[in-house]
Amino acid sequence: MFARWLRENKIAAGILTVLRLYLGYSWFTAGFHKLTGGFDAAGFLKGVTANPVKGPDGAVVYGWYVEFLKGFALPNVDIFNFIVPWGEVLVGLGLMLGCLTTAAAFFALVMNFAFFLAGTVSHIPTDIFLGVIILAAGYNAGHFGLDRLVVPFFRKAVIKGKEPIKQTA
């Protein structure tokens, strides 16, 4: 019942717009500050790998993630120096403008979980909660945004020329 209301109701679309704007502004400003402030992920990655998340018994909780950071992220830090700030800016713009909202919410969640697995907490649980709501709302989350124009265009462009799938009885 709640999922249907979230996905179809115009009042829900209005509430989702407020959530999108809040979350989008947060992502956009974080990315913008990284772009204009000389962001370098190397220090963060070195800190995370030197002091990974540990459980109550002192054992590393996300050893596989630490190995990913050591084996892939640190050697390719220049790639991360590019994709992190630009990813944050683009996710922020997508959410604020309501353009490809579900994709923006999905990638926001991916980045939030990446930071969360690294041991950063701050406002991430709240961002994950809001991101899941926006993602669950689907198209309705961008109802008061550019999705009203962009999504039908993409649907028509992708579906154009394809025959509908015929069901057999």
Side-chain angles (χ1 to χ4, degrees):
M1 185 169 92
F2 178 71
R4 185 174 181 189
W5 178 80
L6 197 62
R7 294 174 78 68
E8 297 175 5
N9 189 286
K10 287 189 180 176
I11 293 170
I15 294 168
L16 290 161
T17 300
V18 173
L19 296 179
R20 271 194 307 105
L21 290 171
Y22 166 76
L23 200 55
Y25 180 79
S26 175
W27 278 108
F28 180 80
T29 55
F32 183 76
H33 291 300
K34 286 178 178 78
L35 284 175
T36 59
F39 173 71
D40 185 9
F44 176 77
L45 293 172
K46 287 176 185 173
V48 168
T49 56
N51 188 22
V53 177
K54 294 180 182 166
D57 59 352
V60 175
V61 178
Y62 306 114
W64 61 271
Y65 190 67
V66 174
E67 292 305 314
F68 164 76
L69 295 177
K70 283 181 186 175
F72 184 76
L74 269 170
N76 298 298
V77 73
D78 291 336
I79 295 170
F80 286 85
N81 287 340
F82 179 80
I83 63 173
V84 169
W86 279 106
E88 290 179 354
V89 165
L90 292 173
V91 160
L93 284 173
L95 290 171
M96 288 190 303
L97 298 173
C99 185
L100 303 175
T101 306
T102 53
F106 172 78
F107 286 110
L109 287 170
V110 168
M111 287 190 287
N112 271 321
F113 277 107
F115 298 139
F116 203 57
L117 290 171
T120 305
V121 178
S122 72
H123 55 84
I124 291 176
T126 305
D127 290 356
I128 290 173
F129 178 70
L130 296 176
V132 167
I133 290 171
I134 292 168
L135 188 64
Y139 176 75
N140 202 34
H143 181 79
F144 297 118
L146 293 178
D147 276 350
R148 290 179 75 177
L149 302 171
V150 173
V151 171
F153 172 78
F154 277 122
R155 285 182 179 162
K156 185 182 269 188
V158 170
I159 296 172
K160 183 180 177 181
K162 291 186 180 178
E163 296 209 14
I165 298 171
K166 295 179 183 176
Q167 295 180 349
T168 56

